Amino acid sequence: MSLAEFTTSEPLTLGVELELQLVSTHDFDLAPQAEDLLRVLKNHTGAWDVKPEITRSMIEIGTSIQTEHGPLLAELNDLRRQLSDGSRKLNIAIGGGGTHAYQHWSAQQIFPTERFRYISELYGYLAKQFTVFGQHVHVGCENGDTALWLLHALSRYVPHFIALSASSPFVQGQDTGFDSARLNSVFAFPLSGRAPFALTWDEFGRYFDKMTSTGVVQSMKDFYWDIRPKPEFGTIELRVCDTPLTVAKAAALACYLQCLCRYLREEKPFQPEEDDYLVYTFNRFQACRFGLDGEIVDPKTKERHKLRDDILRTLARIDEHALDLRALDASNLLRDSLFAGNDAHALREQRRQGLPLPAVVEWATERWMNEARKDET
C-alpha cells in the first residue's frame, strides 16, 4: 500500500478529539455501555461526531473543523451537554481524565468491530490495557512538507502538552507517582514514540513504503506516534494529551497548539534537527512523571529548565499570535493552571481530603458533566 497524497487544508485550522469514560452511577467503575449511548445519541444535533473506541466503556467525540477558540469552546460545550443528557437516560456518567482510577483491564470488553478485534488479536492484553483516555488535536497544513517540518519543530514542546493536560495519577487503585500514567500504556505499543526524522513528503513516503513492505504496517493508523501526519485530513495530529477534566481545558490546549504552530511557521525561531531528539525521551519522561514540576533539557543549548518556567516563557512569546487568533482567553486559562496545578494535582487533592476513589471518580464526572456555565460563553 502506497502512502496517500497529502490533502491540502487551510493552515492552522483545528479539530479536537476526546476519548471519554463511561461510568456507572452505582459504583463509579467503568460501564460497558458504549453501544447504548451511541444509540441514544444517533440523532444528535450539531456538526460534531461520536463513535466507539477500542473497549465498550469508552467513546470518542470529534469536533467539526474550527478556526477560533470561541466557536471551538461553544461546540465542545454543546457536545458535552448532549452527551451528558444522553448518559443520564442510561443511568451512567461521563468523565474526563487520562485513566480511570481503579478499573481493572481484565474486566474490559473489546468493542465489536473488525479493526478492534484485529488489534485485540495482535496485541493481546495490551488492547484491554489501552482503556485509557486522551485528547488528540489536529492542525491543518497546506502540504506534506510543511506538515513534517511543523511536526518536528513541535517536538521540543511535547512536554508542555503532557504536563498541562496530565490527569492520570491513579491506575488500578494506586497512586502511580506519575502525573500522566496514561502514556506508559501507549508507550507499550511497538509503533509508538516519535516519528522518524523526515522533512519532505517524498522522503516520508519512502520510509512508509519500506515499512509496508515488511508487513509490519498497513496504514497510518498503525503508528501510535506522539505526533503523526494525517494525509487524508491534511493535518498533523498531536496525541500526547490526557483527556482533561473540563472541555474548557481541552479547548485551551488546542488553541495553545494553534498559537504555537503560527509562531513556528511565521517566526521560524529554529530549524528542527535529528539531534533535537537526543533529549526527547528524557523530557517526555519528566513531564509524565512530575508534570509541571518536571525539568527539561534544551536540545540546542543543553541547559536545564523548570518545565513550568519554560511554558510561562513560551506563553509570553506567543501572546501576539494568541491575540491575532483570538485565543488570549485560552492562553490565560493555561497561565492560571501553571500556578493552580494541573488536573492530576486536582484529583490528588480530592484524595488528600479523604475521599475514597469512587468518590474521586464521581467528583470528576460531575466536573465534566456540569462544567461551570461561565465556560459556555
Side-chain angles (χ1 to χ4, degrees):
M1 180 182 294
S2 297
L3 182 64
E5 290 293 321
F6 194 90
T7 301
T8 298
S9 290
E10 183 181 345
L12 302 178
T13 48
L14 288 174
V16 173
E17 298 164 347
L18 296 175
E19 296 163 343
L20 298 166
Q21 305 183 29
L22 307 186
V23 177
S24 165
T25 53
H26 171 64
D27 60 5
F28 290 93
D29 201 350
L30 290 181
Q33 291 189 248
E35 290 152 297
D36 299 327
L37 184 58
L38 290 169
R39 186 165 54 250
V40 168
L41 294 170
K42 184 177 180 181
N43 296 316
H44 71 80
T45 60
W48 49 272
D49 183 40
V50 57
K51 60 186 180 182
E53 252 299 337
I54 190 165
T55 60
R56 295 176 62 222
S57 298
M58 51 195 310
I59 58 166
E60 179 181 286
I61 58 93
T63 68
S64 60
I65 298 171
Q66 297 288 335
T67 59
E68 292 182 5
H69 175 251
L72 172 63
L73 180 57
E75 184 174 48
L76 284 168
N77 270 302
D78 175 59
L79 65 85
R80 176 184 58 79
R81 282 190 293 266
Q82 292 194 53
L83 262 67
S84 299
D85 290 344
S87 70
R88 290 186 183 103
K89 295 176 182 177
L90 300 169
N91 293 316
I92 60 174
I94 296 182
T99 56
H100 185 275
Y102 54 91
Q103 65 91 13
H104 285 270
W105 67 266
S106 60
Q108 300 313 310
Q109 303 169 21
I110 300 296
F111 195 93
T113 69
E114 183 178 348
R115 174 162 176 79
F116 292 150
R117 288 194 189 99
Y118 165 76
I119 293 173
S120 179
E121 291 170 2
L122 177 62
Y123 291 114
Y125 85 109
L126 290 179
K128 290 186 177 182
Q129 283 207 331
F130 210 39
T131 306
V132 291
F133 308 86
Q135 172 179 350
H136 303 164
V137 184
H138 291 261
V139 178
C141 300
E142 61 271 39
N143 58 59
D145 289 1
T146 300
L148 290 170
W149 186 93
L150 200 53
L151 182 157
H152 293 296
L154 284 167
S155 66
R156 63 174 60 193
Y157 300 101
V158 161
H160 291 201
F161 290 93
I162 295 173
L164 286 165
S165 69
S167 60
S168 51
F170 303 114
V171 173
Q172 296 194 24
Q174 301 297 318
D175 188 328
T176 63
F178 280 70
D179 273 18
S180 177
R182 164 187 161 268
L183 281 173
N184 293 328
S185 296
V186 179
F187 217 41
F189 285 77
L191 297 175
S192 62
R194 48 154 289 201
F197 192 77
L199 290 176
T200 69
W201 197 244
D202 286 344
E203 184 183 358
F204 184 78
R206 290 191 290 274
Y207 165 83
F208 185 84
D209 289 344
K210 289 178 182 178
M211 290 298 292
T212 54
S213 70
T214 67
V216 173
V217 166
Q218 296 180 8
S219 73
M220 284 298 301
K221 288 183 178 180
D222 295 321
F223 295 114
Y224 292 87
W225 296 328
D226 292 344
I227 314 176
R228 69 183 180 188
K230 291 288 284 184
E232 66 271 32
F233 295 160
T235 65
I236 54 171
E237 179 189 13
L238 179 75
R239 300 167 51 82
V240 298
C241 294
D242 287 357
T243 296
L245 298 182
T246 64
V247 297
K249 173 69 76 68
L253 288 164
C255 290
Y256 181 41
L257 180 62
Q258 182 189 40
C259 294
L260 262 177
C261 288
R262 189 176 192 262
Y263 161 70
L264 291 169
R265 287 171 57 105
E266 295 194 0
E267 300 191 29
K268 290 187 169 53
F270 57 87
Q271 178 66 21
E273 300 173 357
E274 174 65 49
D275 281 358
D276 290 351
Y277 289 99
L278 291 173
V279 297
Y280 183 81
T281 304
F282 173 84
N283 290 347
R284 188 185 190 275
F285 170 80
Q286 284 279 314
C288 290
R289 174 68 174 87
F290 302 109
L292 296 168
D293 293 323
E295 295 183 337
I296 58 171
V297 177
D298 186 299
K300 301 295 185 188
T301 67
K302 310 303 185 287
E303 295 175 341
R304 189 171 295 206
H305 304 286
K306 289 290 186 181
L307 185 47
R308 180 182 278 104
D309 294 340
D310 198 59
I311 296 171
L312 195 58
R313 283 192 293 268
T314 303
L315 284 166
R317 209 170 285 135
I318 66 172
D319 258 349
E320 181 180 345
H321 299 281
L323 180 63
D324 290 344
L325 292 169
R326 300 182 184 179
L328 276 178
D329 286 347
S331 293
N332 289 334
L333 186 152
L334 296 181
R335 274 192 185 89
D336 291 344
S337 76
L338 289 174
F339 303 99
N342 58 22
D343 288 342
H345 172 81
L347 290 164
R348 284 195 173 106
E349 186 59 32
Q350 298 303 308
R351 188 71 167 138
R352 278 192 290 267
Q353 293 176 15
L355 290 184
L357 284 177
V360 173
V361 175
E362 181 180 13
W363 173 84
T365 61
E366 288 177 351
R367 188 170 183 185
W368 197 88
M369 295 174 69
N370 303 306
E371 193 164 346
R373 190 159 296 276
K374 67 182 176 65
D375 292 332
E376 298 177 10
T377 59

